Amino acid sequence: MEHLEDYVAFDLEFNTVNHVSHIIQLSAVKYAAHEEVAHFDSYVYSEVPLQSFISGLTGITSEKIASAPRLETVLADFAAFVNETPLIGYNAHQSDLPILAENGLDLASLYALDVYDEAFERRSSDLNGITNLKLQTVATFLGVKGKGHNSLEDARMTALVYEKLLEFDSNKSFLDQQEESHGDNPFATLGGLFD
């Protein structure tokens, strides 16, 4: 897995009507040296009526949408926030990136890693055979708390799950180094304790 020191984890919520997805919330967290240093969070104005299902799922109301900035403004602000920082997401190459591109913001060249793909590859090892790979399920399994279907919370959970996976890799690397330097002797690390 690619080890990113600095990155932006992002997520968006959308309202799909007549096969068109309208962005209603766009959020991200910026990490530097594995610490959150900034966040971006905005609702997005839309004239398209909000489906009650989406409102119930996300907690986003028509009032929040009606008073929000227009999409062009939010996308410009988000692009400035990201700048040239590598992006990560959770299954974002399936929905979030294409929806952004459809609306004039193509960030595919900055997309460095999909945390869903990593979770999928690790489900039989690091994730103990977990079958449900929804972000909230994986996050809960790893001890990461967050409320799903809020794009800022989802972006944070994505970053924290990524950090946990990096931690697994770091631990494995340490164990491999120990094994190389001490072989199969389980008491080798005790040094001269019994001399």
Side-chain angles (χ1 to χ4, degrees):
M1 178 173 78
E2 189 168 352
H3 184 119
L4 301 169
E5 291 278 327
D6 306 331
Y7 59 89
V8 169
F10 82 104
D11 187 72
L12 55 85
E13 301 296 337
F14 51 89
N15 178 36
T16 303
V17 177
N18 297 327
H19 309 292
V20 178
S21 297
H22 305 274
I23 300 171
I24 56 174
Q25 186 185 17
L26 177 56
S27 308
V29 290
K30 185 174 284 185
Y31 267 59
H34 304 290
E35 295 289 331
E36 183 179 332
V37 294
H39 73 273
F40 176 91
D41 184 31
S42 181
Y43 295 113
V44 181
Y45 174 80
S46 175
E47 294 176 353
V48 178
L50 195 59
Q51 295 184 75
S52 57
F53 163 74
I54 296 296
S55 186
L57 186 68
T58 63
I60 299 172
T61 63
S62 298
E63 292 75 30
K64 288 176 181 172
I65 300 304
S67 61
R70 296 200 173 262
L71 180 62
E72 302 76 33
T73 302
V74 175
L75 292 180
D77 291 347
F78 179 64
F81 178 81
V82 172
N83 196 1
E84 294 297 313
T85 311
L87 284 172
I88 71 170
Y90 200 86
N91 214 15
H93 54 74
Q94 294 293 327
S95 60
D96 297 10
L97 281 176
I99 290 170
L100 287 175
E102 285 165 18
N103 287 283
L105 183 59
D106 187 352
L107 296 174
S109 63
L110 292 177
Y111 200 60
L113 185 129
D114 197 287
V115 180
Y116 172 86
D117 292 345
E118 286 297 325
F120 183 83
E121 285 184 26
R122 295 164 183 252
R123 63 188 169 163
S124 62
S125 56
D126 295 330
L127 301 176
N128 289 356
I130 194 171
T131 54
N132 178 343
L133 288 174
K134 288 181 182 172
L135 174 58
Q136 183 134 27
T137 307
V138 172
T140 301
F141 178 83
L142 294 173
V144 172
K145 291 185 169 52
K147 175 182 168 257
H149 300 295
N150 170 291
S151 61
L152 182 57
E153 290 277 326
D154 285 345
R156 272 206 180 101
M157 281 193 286
T158 298
L160 291 170
V161 167
Y162 175 61
E163 292 294 328
K164 288 281 189 184
L165 298 181
L166 286 175
E167 198 177 298
F168 286 148
D169 289 354
S170 176
N171 291 344
K172 282 179 201 162
S173 176
F174 176 75
L175 289 174
D176 289 346
Q177 288 170 2
Q178 292 297 310
E179 203 168 278
E180 282 173 24
S181 60
H182 302 297
D184 290 334
N185 181 353
F187 302 107
T189 55
L190 298 176
L193 287 178
F194 299 107
D195 291 346

